[in-house]
Amino acid sequence: MASGDSVNNGRQRSRGMKMARKILMDNLLIILIIIAVFIGVGMGMGLRNVWTYEDYKEIFYLEFPGRLLLNMLKMLILPLVISSLVTGMASIGTQATGKLGAAAVTYYMTTTLFAVIIGIVLVLTIHPGSSGDREKLRREGSSTNAKPLDSLLDLVSQCFPENLVSACFERRVTDIEIVQSDPRINETDGTNYTVDLEKYGLKSDSGTNVLGIVVFSIALGIVINHLGEEGLPLKRFFSSLNSATMILINVVIWYTPFGIMFLIAGKFVATDDIGQVLSDLGKYMGTVLGGLVIHGFIVLPLMYFIATRKNPAAFAANMAKALFTAWGTASSSATLPLTMDCLVKKNKVNVNVVRFVAPVGATINMDGTALYEAVACIFIAQINGMDLSVADVIIVSLTATAAAIGAAGVPQAGLVTLVIVLTAVGLPTEDVTFILSIDWFLDRFRTTINVWGDSVGAGILNHYFRNVFKEEDEDETNDSNFQADEKNASEKFDEPMNGITNEAFDAELTKM
C-alpha cells in the first residue's frame, strides 16, 4: 500500500513538474520582456550617474541594440500588412467584407470618441495647467506648421499614392513656402512695397505611407476574391507570403527583450532632469495617465465583456506579449507582428478577422493618441490663460478624433497631429515644445492603449461574426473535400486495371 501511494505521489509530482514547465515555456517571452523593462529602467537610472544627457555619442551607441529591434520589426511591416490584408479580403465573402469593414470603422470611431471625451472631462476637472505655469516651463525641440484643411486633404491624398514603390518609404504632404510678392504701389504716397504670400506645393516626407498601402491591399484582395478560380494563384502567393512572414516574426520576437532593454535605458539617460520634468509637468502627466487607465482598464474591458460575455482579463493576459512590446518600442506599427501573433495563437481569433482588423487598426485606430491630443490641447490653452468655449471644446473633440486617424504608428507621431488640433482652436502651435520633455514617456503608455484597443476590436468583431466565418470555413472545407474526392477519383480511374497497364490494354485492343 505504501509503495502504491509513493508511486501515485511520484506521478503527481511528475505531472506537476510537466505542467509548470509548460506554463513557463508558454510565458517565457513575456517573463523575459518584463525583466528587460525593469533592467532597462535600472540601467538607465544607473548610467545617469556616469553620463549626462549631452553625451550624445554614448547614448547613440547604447540605443544601438534597440534600433536593431525596431529595424527588424519595421522591415516585416510591409510584407505582413500587404499579405495579411490581401489574403484576408480574398478569403472573406463579398457581403462579409462590407459588414466587417463597416463594423470595424464604427468600433474605431466609437472608442476614439470615448477616449477623447474621457480626456476632455479629466483635463477640465483636474485643471493641470494655469497661466503662471508658462513662465517656469521649459521649451524643447520645435513645432511643425500644419493646417487642419491641408492635413485632411493630405490624408485623403495618401489613400491613393501615385507610386506604390515610393509609398513604401515616403509620403506626399502639403508644403507651404513663404515668398515675397512682386512690388506693389501704395496709392496713398506712391511708394513700392511687397507682401508675404503663402505658396502651396507638395513635398516628400520620409516614412512609409501605410494608409495608401492598406487601401491598395484591401482593393486588390477584394478583386482577387471576385476573380474566383482565375485569382487562386495570386491568393495562394499572398497566403504563402503571409505564412513565411509569420515564421520570420516568430524568430525576431525572441530578440525583443534585449532590444527593449536598451531602448528604455537610452531614453532615461537622454532625459535632462527627470525630477524637474516631473515637478513641472507632473499634474499634466497624471491627467493623461489617468485618462489612459480609465479608457484601457474600464471602458475597453467593459465593451469587450458586454459584446462577448467573456472575461476581458483572460483576453488581456493573452495579449501581454504584444502590450509589453508596445510599451517598450512606443510604436503600434512595430508591434503589429506580435499583436497578430497573440490574437491568432493565444486568443484564437479567426485569422481572417485578424488579417483585416489588426493592420487597419494599427493604421487608423489611435484611442490613446486621441485622448492625449485632447488633454494636451486644453492644457496648452490653460497655461496661456485662455478659456475655451463649449464650441471650442466640441471642435477639439472632433478634430482630435479625426487627427488621430492620421497619426502614423511610429514613435511620437501624435505630436505632429497635435499641431492640427491646436490650429483648429487658434492656439499657438509653438507651445507644443512645452510638453516635449515628457512626451517620450507618455508615448509608451498611449501606444499600449492603441494596441489594446485594436486587440479588443478584433475580439469583439470575431465574436460578432463568428457564425459568418464558421459557415465560410465549412464551405471552404466542403470545397476542398470535393476537390480532393475528384482528384482521388481521377487518379483511381488512371490506375492500371488488374495489373494491366494502359499501354498493354491498348495493345490487346489493337490485336482484337
Side-chain angles (χ1 to χ4, degrees):
M1 182 68 72
S3 61
D5 291 340
S6 62
V7 170
N8 289 333
N9 291 334
R11 288 176 179 172
Q12 289 177 358
R13 280 196 299 270
S14 177
R15 281 197 296 266
M17 290 290 290
K18 288 180 180 178
M19 186 176 294
R21 192 181 298 112
K22 184 179 184 301
I23 293 172
L24 177 64
M25 293 306 297
D26 288 344
N27 298 281
L28 180 60
L29 186 60
I30 299 172
I31 295 169
L32 291 175
I33 290 174
I34 295 172
I35 293 172
V37 169
F38 284 105
I39 293 176
V41 173
M43 186 192 303
M45 297 302 291
L47 288 174
R48 288 177 63 84
N49 298 323
V50 182
W51 298 335
T52 69
Y53 70 97
E54 292 181 331
D55 289 321
Y56 300 118
K57 185 177 74 171
E58 288 79 1
I59 295 172
F60 179 78
Y61 290 147
L62 178 65
E63 292 179 335
F64 178 75
R67 287 196 300 275
L68 281 184
L69 171 65
L70 289 176
N71 290 347
M72 286 189 288
L73 290 173
K74 289 178 180 179
M75 172 185 65
L76 296 171
I77 289 172
L78 274 180
L80 180 64
V81 168
I82 294 172
S83 62
S84 296
L85 283 172
V86 172
T87 306
M89 292 298 96
S91 303
I92 302 174
T94 307
Q95 288 187 338
T97 302
K99 290 179 180 178
L100 181 61
V105 171
T106 302
Y107 168 80
Y108 296 152
M109 297 304 293
T110 303
T111 56
T112 304
L113 192 58
F114 279 169
V116 169
I117 292 171
I118 291 169
I120 290 174
V121 170
L122 283 180
V123 73
L124 292 176
T125 304
I126 299 173
H127 210 285
S130 63
S131 55
D133 293 337
R134 184 181 173 86
E135 302 303 324
K136 64 179 183 179
L137 291 175
R138 294 177 300 170
R139 295 183 182 273
E140 284 195 15
S142 60
S143 62
T144 58
N145 183 24
K147 296 184 178 181
L149 180 59
D150 299 331
S151 300
L152 177 62
L153 294 177
D154 285 342
L155 194 65
V156 176
S157 176
Q158 287 169 15
C159 291
F160 309 98
E162 59 185 18
N163 189 317
L164 274 178
V165 177
S166 62
C168 296
F169 53 84
E170 67 180 20
R171 301 186 293 266
R172 300 285 284 172
V173 296
T174 301
D175 179 45
I176 304 174
E177 182 184 357
I178 304 299
V179 297
Q180 294 289 323
S181 68
D182 291 333
R184 301 180 182 183
I185 300 175
N186 191 326
E187 296 180 358
T188 305
D189 55 13
T191 58
N192 291 336
Y193 70 96
T194 60
V195 296
D196 290 338
L197 300 175
E198 291 183 340
K199 184 179 179 181
Y200 280 70
L202 292 173
K203 69 174 183 178
S204 297
D205 266 3
S206 61
T208 306
N209 180 8
V210 180
L211 195 58
I213 291 171
V214 164
V215 171
F216 173 79
S217 300
I218 291 173
L220 181 61
I222 293 172
V223 170
I224 291 173
N225 195 348
H226 279 287
L227 285 174
E229 289 188 9
E230 191 179 352
L232 281 178
L234 267 179
K235 180 179 176 182
R236 287 169 181 157
F237 167 76
F238 283 107
S239 180
S240 298
L241 177 62
N242 184 253
S243 300
T245 306
M246 293 306 294
I247 292 173
L248 288 173
I249 289 166
N250 288 330
V251 175
V252 170
I253 57 176
W254 286 102
Y255 180 75
T256 303
F258 190 72
I260 285 176
M261 180 172 63
F262 285 95
L263 277 177
I264 294 172
K267 286 299 181 184
F268 270 89
V269 177
T271 304
D272 180 8
D273 189 341
I274 295 178
Q276 185 65 38
V277 169
L278 292 177
S279 174
D280 294 343
L281 294 169
K283 208 172 178 182
Y284 160 74
M285 185 178 73
T287 305
V288 174
L289 292 179
L292 294 175
V293 167
I294 291 172
H295 187 70
F297 285 82
I298 298 175
V299 175
L300 290 176
L302 192 60
M303 290 180 67
Y304 180 80
F305 176 75
I306 292 172
T308 66
R309 291 294 189 273
K310 294 178 181 178
N311 183 6
F315 188 87
N318 289 331
M319 294 302 303
K321 183 167 61 178
L323 297 178
F324 277 106
T325 303
W327 194 91
T329 60
S331 172
S332 54
S333 292
T335 311
L336 178 61
L338 283 89
T339 305
M340 298 179 69
D341 186 69
C342 290
L343 285 170
V344 174
K345 293 183 179 178
K346 294 284 187 179
N347 280 315
K348 308 302 179 186
V349 177
N350 187 286
V351 67
N352 288 324
V353 175
V354 174
R355 283 171 177 166
F356 175 78
V357 175
V360 174
T363 307
I364 68 173
N365 185 38
M366 303 285 178
D367 296 353
T369 302
L371 186 149
Y372 154 81
E373 288 174 350
V375 173
C377 179
I378 297 177
F379 171 76
I380 289 173
Q382 290 172 351
I383 65 175
N384 281 282
M386 297 173 60
D387 292 326
L388 297 180
S389 64
V390 175
D392 289 331
V393 172
I394 293 173
I395 290 173
V396 168
S397 63
L398 295 177
T399 312
T401 303
I405 297 173
V410 297
Q412 297 185 323
L415 280 174
V416 179
T417 53
L418 174 58
V419 174
I420 301 171
V421 185
L422 293 174
T423 307
V425 288
L427 290 170
T429 57
E430 63 272 12
D431 284 359
V432 166
T433 56
F434 284 134
I435 59 175
L436 277 177
S437 58
I438 199 65
D439 185 73
W440 69 270
F441 184 69
L442 295 177
D443 192 22
R444 283 163 159 67
F445 290 95
R446 65 176 185 255
T447 301
T448 305
I449 297 301
N450 290 342
V451 173
W452 174 228
D454 298 342
S455 306
V456 170
I460 291 174
L461 293 174
N462 179 68
H463 179 80
Y464 185 74
F465 288 95
R466 62 192 185 280
N467 293 328
V468 175
F469 288 113
K470 184 179 179 181
E471 290 173 2
E472 289 196 357
D473 290 342
E474 288 176 354
D475 291 341
E476 286 186 6
T477 303
N478 291 336
D479 289 343
S480 61
N481 289 339
F482 177 72
Q483 291 172 1
D485 290 341
E486 278 190 323
K487 185 178 179 182
N488 291 336
S490 176
E491 290 175 350
K492 190 173 182 180
F493 179 78
D494 291 336
E495 286 178 358
M497 295 178 291
N498 297 326
I500 302 175
T501 63
N502 291 336
E503 291 78 2
F505 181 75
D506 292 338
E508 291 292 329
L509 196 64
T510 304
K511 290 178 182 179
M512 293 173 62

